[in-house]
Amino acid sequence: MTLTRRSLLERAGALSLPTLLPAASIALPLALATGRASAQSAEFTYKFANNLPVTHPLNVRAKDMSAAILAETKGRVDIQVFPNNQLGSDTDMLSQVRSGGVEFFTLSGLILSTLVPAASISGIGFAFGDYDTVWKALDGPLGAHVRAQIGKANLVVMDNIWDNGFRQITSSSKPIVSPDDLKGFKIRVPVSPLWTSMFKAFDSSPASINFNEVYSALQTKVVEGQENPLALISTAKLYEVQKYCSLTNHMWDGFWFLANKKAWEKLPADVRTIVAKHINAAALLERADTAALNASVQKDLAAKGLIFNQPKTDEFRDRLRKAGFYTEWKGKYGDEAWALLEKASGKLA
Ligand code: X2X
């Protein structure tokens, strides 16, 4: 039983290691193979942990980024990438980046909102219709507002947010065609008050589950469905345990690149400049890769058996409005932050 579950999870790249294991004891054998001499000799050997499969554009670009940083710092900074929740769930990794157990971590603003409430604002349902609007807001005043709040929580955040994408709803039980199909629907959501609130507004039964447990939760039918961008439904092989995919585009999601403050400040100023430059440049490349993958992978997923439908997304947005979702969250973020959002999104509440 244990072995079967374990092997299935490993296949999905969803294996979570016991979180009680000290990170250091599992760090070396699991480090993403970088194809270069690991820098025993580096002055600063830092860990970058994340929740995504090794084949996701974020990890592909992170690997190149790490090599570029090692080269330009002349071997002084070695950033070892730990993909796929190898160092724990998002909840664990958030603790670790705060304590210094890992030096770098990418996290959805919505999950970060458990620490920095303002950070979930970019995930408000149907706020952004396209990527141009997303980047204008997140590279502009809305992003600056969120980054300032993250800074107040004693974390360092890089300027450019990385892309996860526009999220779609998958299901093993039935296609989601109209908002009524979400009534009572058992759906996994990431650990975040905004996500839970949004699906409660649809009268669903949302369950907060970290990403490292999603494949098995779907497989064992603890939940009927989940929602994620196509790039992740593909790279995390969620199509193996889901039948339907509804192109709701109900929200955009991205990852802030966080650093432990002490570890960051330990780097000499000129080294920090080099490291930040490469991280931010990699973010822009990753955005392009992820958008391209999200746009192109549907055919491949359909060939693997996922059945797609295109619902009328306005109906879903109207349902949120009627449920008072936008008014409630406007109240939580405050008028000033909400105005920054609506400047990009147009009127929501
Ligand atoms: O947990 C998820 O669903 C994921 C991978 O999309 C996030 O990190 C929010």
Side-chain angles (χ1 to χ4, degrees):
M1 168 67 194
T2 312
L3 269 180
T4 307
R5 182 167 181 265
R6 187 187 167 92
S7 58
L8 285 167
L9 289 173
E10 273 172 342
R11 202 158 53 93
L15 181 65
S16 69
L17 287 161
T19 52
L20 291 178
L21 257 170
S25 70
I26 53 172
L28 285 176
L30 290 174
L32 194 72
T34 50
R36 57 180 164 73
S38 182
Q40 245 90 7
S41 54
E43 205 176 327
F44 304 97
T45 300
Y46 281 6
K47 297 194 253 316
F48 162 39
N50 67 73
N51 67 356
L52 294 179
V54 67
T55 49
H56 189 280
L58 179 140
N59 279 311
V60 175
R61 289 299 178 179
K63 194 175 148 189
D64 294 348
M65 170 196 92
S66 163
I69 289 170
L70 189 69
E72 198 177 338
T73 61
K74 302 195 169 55
R76 291 177 77 189
V77 180
D78 183 22
I79 298 180
Q80 302 190 337
V81 185
F82 294 83
N84 217 19
N85 294 291
Q86 284 174 352
L87 300 188
S89 70
D90 275 335
T91 306
D92 300 326
M93 290 187 284
L94 178 58
S95 304
Q96 289 178 40
V97 78
R98 295 178 72 195
S99 69
V102 302
E103 288 80 11
F104 296 111
F105 172 41
T106 38
L107 182 63
S108 163
L110 278 81
I111 301 175
L112 179 58
S113 78
T114 56
L115 175 69
V116 182
S120 64
I121 194 164
S122 53
I124 285 289
F126 303 99
F128 303 113
D130 55 47
Y131 273 118
D132 279 352
T133 318
V134 168
W135 305 134
K136 231 174 111 188
L138 273 297
D139 293 336
L142 186 70
H145 164 74
V146 171
R147 287 193 301 278
Q149 302 305 311
I150 296 172
K152 283 183 194 161
N154 228 26
L155 282 168
V156 171
V157 58
M158 298 298 134
D159 285 343
N160 291 344
I161 194 165
W162 296 51
D163 187 31
N164 190 359
F166 287 91
R167 299 177 78 96
Q168 324 296 351
I169 301 177
T170 65
S171 158
S172 61
S173 55
K174 62 179 180 191
I176 303 300
V177 178
S178 82
D180 282 343
D181 294 319
L182 287 174
K183 276 192 186 157
F185 185 62
K186 280 194 271 173
I187 184 167
R188 171 270 173 174
V189 293
V191 181
S192 161
L194 178 61
W195 250 303
T196 302
S197 159
M198 181 167 166
F199 282 92
K200 281 201 169 146
F202 285 122
D203 278 332
S204 307
S205 305
S208 299
I209 299 175
N210 273 306
F211 191 66
N212 58 335
E213 305 288 348
V214 167
Y215 187 97
S216 67
L218 294 170
Q219 186 178 43
T220 58
K221 302 220 162 63
V222 167
V223 288
E224 291 167 83
Q226 66 85 47
E227 42 82 63
N228 251 305
L230 297 187
L232 205 41
I233 292 165
S234 170
T235 54
K237 301 193 192 308
L238 300 183
Y239 57 82
E240 292 180 348
V241 285
Q242 295 282 270
K243 233 195 230 162
Y244 305 99
C245 182
S246 177
L247 298 171
T248 48
N249 283 298
H250 55 276
M251 65 198 280
W252 174 82
D253 183 41
F255 303 103
W256 289 111
F257 201 107
L258 306 170
N260 172 269
K261 194 168 182 184
K262 258 199 202 141
W264 182 250
E265 287 174 355
K266 231 195 247 168
L267 300 175
D270 59 327
V271 172
R272 285 205 293 262
T273 304
I274 294 170
V275 173
K277 177 184 79 178
H278 286 290
I279 294 175
N280 286 320
L284 297 183
L285 296 169
E286 186 267 355
R287 289 179 186 181
D289 293 350
T290 304
L293 184 57
N294 278 322
S296 67
V297 81
Q298 184 180 337
K299 229 176 98 184
D300 180 44
L301 288 168
K304 288 187 159 111
L306 206 58
I307 301 164
F308 284 88
N309 70 289
Q310 177 62 70
K312 294 183 186 130
T313 53
D314 283 358
E315 293 178 4
F316 289 78
R317 184 177 173 152
D318 291 347
R319 184 64 61 93
L320 287 181
R321 197 170 274 144
K322 280 197 195 109
F325 172 79
Y326 294 109
T327 316
E328 179 189 340
W329 283 89
K330 180 182 178 180
K332 289 188 178 161
Y333 296 122
D335 289 348
E336 214 174 300
W338 193 261
L340 294 176
L341 175 66
E342 285 194 336
K343 205 174 144 224
S345 67
K347 187 125 184 67
L348 291 164

